[in-house]
Amino acid sequence: MALSEFRLIELLRGIGDGRADVCLGIGDDAALLRVPDGQRLVVCADAIVEGVHFPAGADAADIGWRALAVNLSDMAAMGARPRWATMTLTLPEADERWLQPFAKGFKALADMHAVALVGGDTVRGPLNVGVQVMGTLADGQGLLRSGAQPGDGVWVSGCLGDAAAGLEFASGNRAVNNDAERELCNRFLRPVPRVEFGSSLHGLATAAIDISDGLMQDAQHIAFASGVNIALDAGSLPLSNALTGVFEPSEALRLALSGGDDYELLFTLPAARERELQALLASHGLRCTRIGTVNKGENVTCALEGKPWMPSYTGFDHFGTRRPE
Ligand code: ADP
Ligand code: MG
């Protein structure tokens, strides 16, 4: 079913309607947005491409969710409050049977965070969804990668490795046969950005990043930006029952250390602030685990059962080649 331009815009309109800070949304040549006094504009953009970031033939609703989720996760890692999004949609064909569930998946997550879709562009080509999210931070706030201090603990939200495990199922490499496998698959298809939690880490965490490329690689970004060593204890990584129920221990550990797509927050925290963190976690109903320590030095190092240990895999890079180890 071919889609008229008018119908396409109708399907995308109404995502996040009613925000008072949208002076003009979809329908004109550009959107007009109001940034409140005392706030800074925070902007990020991430594209997802069929066959690279999600398997060919993935469900349209999951693609819509994911395209926004990966961007909201960047907002979460900055501690920013997301407000608005734009989208550049490249579609092989204008098919309403695809676009309707796609818009629904995007809207489901947008509504959870009151994000308004305020504009974009739609063109023909290989399936590719580029989303830009704009949000705000109070002047002087922001969780950067560069603030980790020797002596801080290294913490992570949620569990690690589930999404990379789930990709095995979502991509059709393995068939889903039970609830644990379904749960893993869903953790890949519908990542949950830690937006609320991220925004409450201001003044508490010294550095933060979201885990998109894998723990080892994203920890390396904090180590580099902060000029410190990050020492991880592989034995303390939080692994879900689903992951350990489906995968061998060594494979579960590999997925947790180097698998991407979890979109959990990795952050550093002075030891003196741990009680405050625990109180915060109780109020968010979220689990966080201390998985290492910040030291003077550089790079990410790893120990297993008290002995130095370096896995032979370190993460995904965007051109499909492994970094020198
Ligand atoms: P123009 O040709 O002036 O760029 P378009 O015809 O491309 O305008 O789009 C019409 C309106 O629909 C614009 O307000 C644009 O921002 C919006 N729009 C088009 N595609 C999308 C999309 N994928 N997501 C959100 N808004 C879109
Ligand atoms: Mg125009």
Side-chain angles (χ1 to χ4, degrees), residues 6-40:
F6 176 76
R7 181 73 185 127
L8 183 140
I9 304 304
E10 280 311 297
L11 284 171
L12 294 171
R13 208 192 277 277
I15 296 182
D17 262 359
R19 283 200 70 104
D21 53 16
V22 178
C23 313
L24 185 65
I26 287 180
D28 214 304
D29 295 316
L32 298 175
L33 309 171
R34 181 176 290 116
V35 178
D37 288 346
Q39 304 266 317
R40 291 178 185 170

PDB file of all heavy atoms in Angstrom, residues 6-40:
ATOM      1  N   PHE A   6       1.033  13.122   2.600  1.00  0.00           N
ATOM      2  CA  PHE A   6       0.136  13.644   3.627  1.00  0.00           C
ATOM      3  C   PHE A   6      -0.103  12.594   4.712  1.00  0.00           C
ATOM      4  O   PHE A   6      -0.022  12.862   5.901  1.00  0.00           O
ATOM      5  CB  PHE A   6      -1.193  14.046   2.964  1.00  0.00           C
ATOM      6  CG  PHE A   6      -2.220  14.509   3.945  1.00  0.00           C
ATOM      7  CD1 PHE A   6      -2.128  15.776   4.509  1.00  0.00           C
ATOM      8  CD2 PHE A   6      -3.271  13.667   4.331  1.00  0.00           C
ATOM      9  CE1 PHE A   6      -3.071  16.197   5.435  1.00  0.00           C
ATOM     10  CE2 PHE A   6      -4.211  14.094   5.250  1.00  0.00           C
ATOM     11  CZ  PHE A   6      -4.113  15.355   5.807  1.00  0.00           C
ATOM     12  N   ARG A   7      -0.372  11.360   4.276  1.00  0.00           N
ATOM     13  CA  ARG A   7      -0.662  10.274   5.223  1.00  0.00           C
ATOM     14  C   ARG A   7       0.575   9.966   6.085  1.00  0.00           C
ATOM     15  O   ARG A   7       0.469   9.701   7.271  1.00  0.00           O
ATOM     16  CB  ARG A   7      -1.099   9.042   4.419  1.00  0.00           C
ATOM     17  CG  ARG A   7      -1.447   7.841   5.247  1.00  0.00           C
ATOM     18  CD  ARG A   7      -2.778   8.015   5.962  1.00  0.00           C
ATOM     19  NE  ARG A   7      -2.996   6.867   6.831  1.00  0.00           N
ATOM     20  CZ  ARG A   7      -3.281   6.943   8.125  1.00  0.00           C
ATOM     21  NH1 ARG A   7      -3.417   8.109   8.707  1.00  0.00           N
ATOM     22  NH2 ARG A   7      -3.464   5.852   8.828  1.00  0.00           N
ATOM     23  N   LEU A   8       1.731  10.020   5.450  1.00  0.00           N
ATOM     24  CA  LEU A   8       2.971   9.756   6.177  1.00  0.00           C
ATOM     25  C   LEU A   8       3.132  10.763   7.318  1.00  0.00           C
ATOM     26  O   LEU A   8       3.408  10.388   8.461  1.00  0.00           O
ATOM     27  CB  LEU A   8       4.147   9.851   5.209  1.00  0.00           C
ATOM     28  CG  LEU A   8       5.523   9.530   5.786  1.00  0.00           C
ATOM     29  CD1 LEU A   8       6.316   8.732   4.766  1.00  0.00           C
ATOM     30  CD2 LEU A   8       6.303  10.759   6.163  1.00  0.00           C
ATOM     31  N   ILE A   9       2.941  12.010   7.005  1.00  0.00           N
ATOM     32  CA  ILE A   9       3.098  13.048   8.040  1.00  0.00           C
ATOM     33  C   ILE A   9       2.022  12.858   9.120  1.00  0.00           C
ATOM     34  O   ILE A   9       2.293  13.014  10.309  1.00  0.00           O
ATOM     35  CB  ILE A   9       3.004  14.467   7.417  1.00  0.00           C
ATOM     36  CG1 ILE A   9       4.040  14.646   6.307  1.00  0.00           C
ATOM     37  CG2 ILE A   9       3.179  15.548   8.484  1.00  0.00           C
ATOM     38  CD1 ILE A   9       5.474  14.407   6.695  1.00  0.00           C
ATOM     39  N   GLU A  10       0.820  12.457   8.689  1.00  0.00           N
ATOM     40  CA  GLU A  10      -0.248  12.217   9.675  1.00  0.00           C
ATOM     41  C   GLU A  10       0.160  11.127  10.671  1.00  0.00           C
ATOM     42  O   GLU A  10      -0.122  11.216  11.857  1.00  0.00           O
ATOM     43  CB  GLU A  10      -1.541  11.788   8.962  1.00  0.00           C
ATOM     44  CG  GLU A  10      -2.324  12.917   8.374  1.00  0.00           C
ATOM     45  CD  GLU A  10      -2.534  14.065   9.359  1.00  0.00           C
ATOM     46  OE1 GLU A  10      -3.194  13.841  10.396  1.00  0.00           O
ATOM     47  OE2 GLU A  10      -2.010  15.167   9.119  1.00  0.00           O
ATOM     48  N   LEU A  11       0.817  10.079  10.154  1.00  0.00           N
ATOM     49  CA  LEU A  11       1.222   8.977  11.035  1.00  0.00           C
ATOM     50  C   LEU A  11       2.269   9.424  12.046  1.00  0.00           C
ATOM     51  O   LEU A  11       2.341   8.896  13.147  1.00  0.00           O
ATOM     52  CB  LEU A  11       1.774   7.805  10.203  1.00  0.00           C
ATOM     53  CG  LEU A  11       0.736   6.954   9.485  1.00  0.00           C
ATOM     54  CD1 LEU A  11       1.419   5.976   8.541  1.00  0.00           C
ATOM     55  CD2 LEU A  11      -0.127   6.196  10.490  1.00  0.00           C
ATOM     56  N   LEU A  12       3.092  10.378  11.648  1.00  0.00           N
ATOM     57  CA  LEU A  12       4.182  10.794  12.533  1.00  0.00           C
ATOM     58  C   LEU A  12       3.786  11.966  13.436  1.00  0.00           C
ATOM     59  O   LEU A  12       4.424  12.224  14.446  1.00  0.00           O
ATOM     60  CB  LEU A  12       5.413  11.190  11.711  1.00  0.00           C
ATOM     61  CG  LEU A  12       6.059  10.034  10.948  1.00  0.00           C
ATOM     62  CD1 LEU A  12       7.118  10.556  10.000  1.00  0.00           C
ATOM     63  CD2 LEU A  12       6.656   9.011  11.911  1.00  0.00           C
ATOM     64  N   ARG A  13       2.743  12.649  13.040  1.00  0.00           N
ATOM     65  CA  ARG A  13       2.286  13.788  13.826  1.00  0.00           C
ATOM     66  C   ARG A  13       1.654  13.279  15.124  1.00  0.00           C
ATOM     67  O   ARG A  13       1.172  12.158  15.185  1.00  0.00           O
ATOM     68  CB  ARG A  13       1.227  14.549  13.028  1.00  0.00           C
ATOM     69  CG  ARG A  13       1.137  16.007  13.342  1.00  0.00           C
ATOM     70  CD  ARG A  13      -0.116  16.537  12.705  1.00  0.00           C
ATOM     71  NE  ARG A  13       0.064  16.874  11.296  1.00  0.00           N
ATOM     72  CZ  ARG A  13       0.578  18.030  10.892  1.00  0.00           C
ATOM     73  NH1 ARG A  13       0.994  18.917  11.746  1.00  0.00           N
ATOM     74  NH2 ARG A  13       0.669  18.286   9.613  1.00  0.00           N
ATOM     75  N   GLY A  14       1.698  14.081  16.135  1.00  0.00           N
ATOM     76  CA  GLY A  14       0.979  13.686  17.354  1.00  0.00           C
ATOM     77  C   GLY A  14       1.825  12.888  18.311  1.00  0.00           C
ATOM     78  O   GLY A  14       1.346  12.436  19.337  1.00  0.00           O
ATOM     79  N   ILE A  15       3.112  12.698  17.983  1.00  0.00           N
ATOM     80  CA  ILE A  15       3.989  12.033  18.946  1.00  0.00           C
ATOM     81  C   ILE A  15       4.503  13.114  19.893  1.00  0.00           C
ATOM     82  O   ILE A  15       5.271  13.986  19.505  1.00  0.00           O
ATOM     83  CB  ILE A  15       5.145  11.299  18.228  1.00  0.00           C
ATOM     84  CG1 ILE A  15       4.570  10.180  17.354  1.00  0.00           C
ATOM     85  CG2 ILE A  15       6.141  10.759  19.254  1.00  0.00           C
ATOM     86  CD1 ILE A  15       5.582   9.338  16.618  1.00  0.00           C
ATOM     87  N   GLY A  16       4.010  13.062  21.103  1.00  0.00           N
ATOM     88  CA  GLY A  16       4.430  14.049  22.109  1.00  0.00           C
ATOM     89  C   GLY A  16       3.711  15.376  21.983  1.00  0.00           C
ATOM     90  O   GLY A  16       4.218  16.411  22.414  1.00  0.00           O
ATOM     91  N   ASP A  17       2.513  15.353  21.421  1.00  0.00           N
ATOM     92  CA  ASP A  17       1.708  16.577  21.344  1.00  0.00           C
ATOM     93  C   ASP A  17       1.492  17.172  22.721  1.00  0.00           C
ATOM     94  O   ASP A  17       1.424  16.440  23.701  1.00  0.00           O
ATOM     95  CB  ASP A  17       0.324  16.229  20.773  1.00  0.00           C
ATOM     96  CG  ASP A  17       0.271  16.525  19.292  1.00  0.00           C
ATOM     97  OD1 ASP A  17       1.284  16.991  18.769  1.00  0.00           O
ATOM     98  OD2 ASP A  17      -0.786  16.263  18.675  1.00  0.00           O
ATOM     99  N   GLY A  18       1.366  18.465  22.750  1.00  0.00           N
ATOM    100  CA  GLY A  18       0.953  19.095  24.010  1.00  0.00           C
ATOM    101  C   GLY A  18       2.106  19.619  24.836  1.00  0.00           C
ATOM    102  O   GLY A  18       1.893  20.154  25.921  1.00  0.00           O
ATOM    103  N   ARG A  19       3.332  19.479  24.379  1.00  0.00           N
ATOM    104  CA  ARG A  19       4.443  20.079  25.124  1.00  0.00           C
ATOM    105  C   ARG A  19       4.395  21.589  24.941  1.00  0.00           C
ATOM    106  O   ARG A  19       4.409  22.095  23.827  1.00  0.00           O
ATOM    107  CB  ARG A  19       5.791  19.571  24.590  1.00  0.00           C
ATOM    108  CG  ARG A  19       6.174  18.171  25.032  1.00  0.00           C
ATOM    109  CD  ARG A  19       7.674  17.993  24.859  1.00  0.00           C
ATOM    110  NE  ARG A  19       8.379  18.797  25.838  1.00  0.00           N
ATOM    111  CZ  ARG A  19       8.954  18.310  26.931  1.00  0.00           C
ATOM    112  NH1 ARG A  19       8.950  17.023  27.162  1.00  0.00           N
ATOM    113  NH2 ARG A  19       9.549  19.122  27.778  1.00  0.00           N
ATOM    114  N   ALA A  20       4.396  22.309  26.040  1.00  0.00           N
ATOM    115  CA  ALA A  20       4.293  23.769  25.966  1.00  0.00           C
ATOM    116  C   ALA A  20       5.557  24.394  25.375  1.00  0.00           C
ATOM    117  O   ALA A  20       5.527  25.530  24.902  1.00  0.00           O
ATOM    118  CB  ALA A  20       4.026  24.335  27.362  1.00  0.00           C
ATOM    119  N   ASP A  21       6.672  23.633  25.400  1.00  0.00           N
ATOM    120  CA  ASP A  21       7.917  24.202  24.877  1.00  0.00           C
ATOM    121  C   ASP A  21       8.077  23.967  23.372  1.00  0.00           C
ATOM    122  O   ASP A  21       9.109  24.289  22.803  1.00  0.00           O
ATOM    123  CB  ASP A  21       9.124  23.648  25.657  1.00  0.00           C
ATOM    124  CG  ASP A  21       9.135  22.128  25.705  1.00  0.00           C
ATOM    125  OD1 ASP A  21       8.408  21.495  24.903  1.00  0.00           O
ATOM    126  OD2 ASP A  21       9.856  21.570  26.542  1.00  0.00           O
ATOM    127  N   VAL A  22       7.063  23.368  22.721  1.00  0.00           N
ATOM    128  CA  VAL A  22       7.061  23.266  21.254  1.00  0.00           C
ATOM    129  C   VAL A  22       6.194  24.409  20.729  1.00  0.00           C
ATOM    130  O   VAL A  22       4.964  24.365  20.797  1.00  0.00           O
ATOM    131  CB  VAL A  22       6.514  21.901  20.776  1.00  0.00           C
ATOM    132  CG1 VAL A  22       6.491  21.847  19.245  1.00  0.00           C
ATOM    133  CG2 VAL A  22       7.346  20.761  21.337  1.00  0.00           C
ATOM    134  N   CYS A  23       6.848  25.448  20.213  1.00  0.00           N
ATOM    135  CA  CYS A  23       6.083  26.583  19.684  1.00  0.00           C
ATOM    136  C   CYS A  23       5.521  26.220  18.319  1.00  0.00           C
ATOM    137  O   CYS A  23       4.438  26.641  17.949  1.00  0.00           O
ATOM    138  CB  CYS A  23       6.979  27.818  19.558  1.00  0.00           C
ATOM    139  SG  CYS A  23       7.966  28.136  21.023  1.00  0.00           S
ATOM    140  N   LEU A  24       6.273  25.415  17.553  1.00  0.00           N
ATOM    141  CA  LEU A  24       5.830  24.972  16.231  1.00  0.00           C
ATOM    142  C   LEU A  24       6.473  23.619  15.948  1.00  0.00           C
ATOM    143  O   LEU A  24       7.694  23.496  15.979  1.00  0.00           O
ATOM    144  CB  LEU A  24       6.280  26.004  15.180  1.00  0.00           C
ATOM    145  CG  LEU A  24       5.807  25.773  13.756  1.00  0.00           C
ATOM    146  CD1 LEU A  24       4.283  25.895  13.656  1.00  0.00           C
ATOM    147  CD2 LEU A  24       6.468  26.779  12.817  1.00  0.00           C
ATOM    148  N   GLY A  25       5.633  22.613  15.715  1.00  0.00           N
ATOM    149  CA  GLY A  25       6.156  21.260  15.495  1.00  0.00           C
ATOM    150  C   GLY A  25       6.117  20.882  14.023  1.00  0.00           C
ATOM    151  O   GLY A  25       6.381  21.707  13.143  1.00  0.00           O
ATOM    152  N   ILE A  26       5.756  19.624  13.742  1.00  0.00           N
ATOM    153  CA  ILE A  26       5.722  19.124  12.364  1.00  0.00           C
ATOM    154  C   ILE A  26       4.763  19.944  11.506  1.00  0.00           C
ATOM    155  O   ILE A  26       3.678  20.303  11.960  1.00  0.00           O
ATOM    156  CB  ILE A  26       5.281  17.639  12.373  1.00  0.00           C
ATOM    157  CG1 ILE A  26       6.423  16.779  12.899  1.00  0.00           C
ATOM    158  CG2 ILE A  26       4.850  17.167  10.986  1.00  0.00           C
ATOM    159  CD1 ILE A  26       6.109  15.296  12.963  1.00  0.00           C
ATOM    160  N   GLY A  27       5.160  20.228  10.268  1.00  0.00           N
ATOM    161  CA  GLY A  27       4.242  20.862   9.326  1.00  0.00           C
ATOM    162  C   GLY A  27       4.823  22.068   8.631  1.00  0.00           C
ATOM    163  O   GLY A  27       4.346  22.460   7.574  1.00  0.00           O
ATOM    164  N   ASP A  28       5.853  22.679   9.192  1.00  0.00           N
ATOM    165  CA  ASP A  28       6.457  23.836   8.511  1.00  0.00           C
ATOM    166  C   ASP A  28       7.863  23.448   8.049  1.00  0.00           C
ATOM    167  O   ASP A  28       8.243  22.283   8.084  1.00  0.00           O
ATOM    168  CB  ASP A  28       6.462  25.054   9.448  1.00  0.00           C
ATOM    169  CG  ASP A  28       6.252  26.340   8.669  1.00  0.00           C
ATOM    170  OD1 ASP A  28       7.050  26.577   7.738  1.00  0.00           O
ATOM    171  OD2 ASP A  28       5.298  27.095   8.971  1.00  0.00           O
ATOM    172  N   ASP A  29       8.637  24.442   7.641  1.00  0.00           N
ATOM    173  CA  ASP A  29       9.983  24.142   7.150  1.00  0.00           C
ATOM    174  C   ASP A  29      10.943  23.801   8.273  1.00  0.00           C
ATOM    175  O   ASP A  29      11.973  23.158   8.049  1.00  0.00           O
ATOM    176  CB  ASP A  29      10.523  25.335   6.344  1.00  0.00           C
ATOM    177  CG  ASP A  29       9.696  25.545   5.094  1.00  0.00           C
ATOM    178  OD1 ASP A  29       9.397  24.541   4.437  1.00  0.00           O
ATOM    179  OD2 ASP A  29       9.327  26.695   4.810  1.00  0.00           O
ATOM    180  N   ALA A  30      10.637  24.239   9.472  1.00  0.00           N
ATOM    181  CA  ALA A  30      11.477  23.925  10.632  1.00  0.00           C
ATOM    182  C   ALA A  30      10.626  24.053  11.887  1.00  0.00           C
ATOM    183  O   ALA A  30       9.549  24.667  11.870  1.00  0.00           O
ATOM    184  CB  ALA A  30      12.667  24.883  10.705  1.00  0.00           C
ATOM    185  N   ALA A  31      11.092  23.464  12.956  1.00  0.00           N
ATOM    186  CA  ALA A  31      10.364  23.548  14.234  1.00  0.00           C
ATOM    187  C   ALA A  31      10.906  24.712  15.055  1.00  0.00           C
ATOM    188  O   ALA A  31      12.060  25.119  14.903  1.00  0.00           O
ATOM    189  CB  ALA A  31      10.554  22.240  15.001  1.00  0.00           C
ATOM    190  N   LEU A  32      10.056  25.234  15.927  1.00  0.00           N
ATOM    191  CA  LEU A  32      10.464  26.296  16.857  1.00  0.00           C
ATOM    192  C   LEU A  32      10.289  25.764  18.272  1.00  0.00           C
ATOM    193  O   LEU A  32       9.196  25.335  18.648  1.00  0.00           O
ATOM    194  CB  LEU A  32       9.591  27.546  16.666  1.00  0.00           C
ATOM    195  CG  LEU A  32       9.662  28.213  15.293  1.00  0.00           C
ATOM    196  CD1 LEU A  32       8.651  29.372  15.212  1.00  0.00           C
ATOM    197  CD2 LEU A  32      11.072  28.735  15.037  1.00  0.00           C
ATOM    198  N   LEU A  33      11.361  25.792  19.033  1.00  0.00           N
ATOM    199  CA  LEU A  33      11.365  25.183  20.365  1.00  0.00           C
ATOM    200  C   LEU A  33      11.825  26.205  21.400  1.00  0.00           C
ATOM    201  O   LEU A  33      12.670  27.054  21.091  1.00  0.00           O
ATOM    202  CB  LEU A  33      12.327  23.978  20.368  1.00  0.00           C
ATOM    203  CG  LEU A  33      12.091  22.972  19.237  1.00  0.00           C
ATOM    204  CD1 LEU A  33      13.217  21.950  19.184  1.00  0.00           C
ATOM    205  CD2 LEU A  33      10.740  22.280  19.434  1.00  0.00           C
ATOM    206  N   ARG A  34      11.309  26.089  22.593  1.00  0.00           N
ATOM    207  CA  ARG A  34      11.686  27.038  23.637  1.00  0.00           C
ATOM    208  C   ARG A  34      12.565  26.355  24.687  1.00  0.00           C
ATOM    209  O   ARG A  34      12.146  25.380  25.307  1.00  0.00           O
ATOM    210  CB  ARG A  34      10.412  27.574  24.320  1.00  0.00           C
ATOM    211  CG  ARG A  34      10.690  28.584  25.419  1.00  0.00           C
ATOM    212  CD  ARG A  34       9.420  29.168  26.014  1.00  0.00           C
ATOM    213  NE  ARG A  34       8.752  30.054  25.063  1.00  0.00           N
ATOM    214  CZ  ARG A  34       7.558  29.840  24.542  1.00  0.00           C
ATOM    215  NH1 ARG A  34       6.880  28.759  24.857  1.00  0.00           N
ATOM    216  NH2 ARG A  34       7.036  30.708  23.690  1.00  0.00           N
ATOM    217  N   VAL A  35      13.777  26.867  24.851  1.00  0.00           N
ATOM    218  CA  VAL A  35      14.669  26.372  25.904  1.00  0.00           C
ATOM    219  C   VAL A  35      14.457  27.254  27.130  1.00  0.00           C
ATOM    220  O   VAL A  35      14.615  28.465  27.045  1.00  0.00           O
ATOM    221  CB  VAL A  35      16.145  26.428  25.457  1.00  0.00           C
ATOM    222  CG1 VAL A  35      17.066  25.945  26.577  1.00  0.00           C
ATOM    223  CG2 VAL A  35      16.363  25.576  24.214  1.00  0.00           C
ATOM    224  N   PRO A  36      14.057  26.666  28.275  1.00  0.00           N
ATOM    225  CA  PRO A  36      13.785  27.487  29.460  1.00  0.00           C
ATOM    226  C   PRO A  36      15.032  28.245  29.925  1.00  0.00           C
ATOM    227  O   PRO A  36      16.156  27.800  29.709  1.00  0.00           O
ATOM    228  CB  PRO A  36      13.375  26.457  30.520  1.00  0.00           C
ATOM    229  CG  PRO A  36      13.035  25.228  29.774  1.00  0.00           C
ATOM    230  CD  PRO A  36      13.832  25.242  28.512  1.00  0.00           C
ATOM    231  N   ASP A  37      14.803  29.386  30.562  1.00  0.00           N
ATOM    232  CA  ASP A  37      15.912  30.163  31.137  1.00  0.00           C
ATOM    233  C   ASP A  37      16.706  29.296  32.093  1.00  0.00           C
ATOM    234  O   ASP A  37      16.137  28.487  32.824  1.00  0.00           O
ATOM    235  CB  ASP A  37      15.358  31.366  31.929  1.00  0.00           C
ATOM    236  CG  ASP A  37      14.805  32.426  30.996  1.00  0.00           C
ATOM    237  OD1 ASP A  37      15.088  32.352  29.784  1.00  0.00           O
ATOM    238  OD2 ASP A  37      14.075  33.312  31.490  1.00  0.00           O
ATOM    239  N   GLY A  38      17.998  29.481  32.081  1.00  0.00           N
ATOM    240  CA  GLY A  38      18.845  28.759  33.025  1.00  0.00           C
ATOM    241  C   GLY A  38      19.153  27.336  32.600  1.00  0.00           C
ATOM    242  O   GLY A  38      19.754  26.574  33.357  1.00  0.00           O
ATOM    243  N   GLN A  39      18.715  26.958  31.380  1.00  0.00           N
ATOM    244  CA  GLN A  39      18.964  25.594  30.898  1.00  0.00           C
ATOM    245  C   GLN A  39      19.830  25.655  29.652  1.00  0.00           C
ATOM    246  O   GLN A  39      19.798  26.629  28.899  1.00  0.00           O
ATOM    247  CB  GLN A  39      17.640  24.918  30.527  1.00  0.00           C
ATOM    248  CG  GLN A  39      16.619  24.887  31.629  1.00  0.00           C
ATOM    249  CD  GLN A  39      16.672  23.601  32.436  1.00  0.00           C
ATOM    250  OE1 GLN A  39      16.791  22.529  31.874  1.00  0.00           O
ATOM    251  NE2 GLN A  39      16.589  23.728  33.746  1.00  0.00           N
ATOM    252  N   ARG A  40      20.570  24.581  29.436  1.00  0.00           N
ATOM    253  CA  ARG A  40      21.360  24.459  28.213  1.00  0.00           C
ATOM    254  C   ARG A  40      20.745  23.404  27.319  1.00  0.00           C
ATOM    255  O   ARG A  40      20.197  22.423  27.812  1.00  0.00           O
ATOM    256  CB  ARG A  40      22.777  24.029  28.551  1.00  0.00           C
ATOM    257  CG  ARG A  40      23.534  25.117  29.259  1.00  0.00           C
ATOM    258  CD  ARG A  40      24.925  24.640  29.612  1.00  0.00           C
ATOM    259  NE  ARG A  40      25.593  25.655  30.402  1.00  0.00           N
ATOM    260  CZ  ARG A  40      26.746  25.460  31.014  1.00  0.00           C
ATOM    261  NH1 ARG A  40      27.354  24.292  30.923  1.00  0.00           N
ATOM    262  NH2 ARG A  40      27.295  26.423  31.711  1.00  0.00           N
TER     263      ARG A  40
END
